[in-house]
Amino acid sequence: MRSRTLIKTLEVELNAVGQYQHADTVQDLMKMLMGGKWPEGGRKYHYALWRSMEAIDWYIEAYTDRAAFVDAAH
């Protein structure tokens, strides 16, 4: 099993106002993308999801995935 890929910590308000989720790994971001409420078919969502998969497989740096996630979340 691969080690978890660390990122700069995020606290994300996702699914409901005042409900925050903590992320400190790429794997945490992937869980949020797969389990959160996101606009269907959103380009930024799909880009962030793709970047998470790439970061988990170490094709890109974790900070690139984090940036894509933050962009999608906005």
Side-chain angles (χ1 to χ4, degrees):
M1 181 176 187
R2 289 187 187 189
S3 63
R4 299 182 59 77
T5 309
L6 297 176
I7 60 167
K8 183 179 174 185
T9 301
L10 282 174
E11 291 292 328
V12 181
E13 186 176 48
L14 193 64
N15 299 329
V17 174
Q19 291 185 354
Y20 290 87
Q21 294 183 28
H22 179 83
D24 57 11
T25 67
V26 168
Q27 290 79 359
D28 293 338
L29 296 180
M30 177 69 95
K31 284 181 193 176
M32 284 189 220
L33 287 164
M34 298 300 293
K37 294 180 181 176
W38 298 85
E40 268 196 50
R43 183 183 61 79
K44 290 181 180 184
Y45 164 81
H46 288 287
Y47 182 73
L49 189 59
W50 181 256
R51 287 306 201 182
S52 289
M53 288 185 281
E54 289 182 318
I56 287 170
D57 287 336
W58 299 334
Y59 294 125
I60 64 166
E61 297 291 333
Y63 67 84
T64 303
D65 175 41
R66 185 184 186 280
F69 180 92
V70 169
D71 191 38
H74 284 279

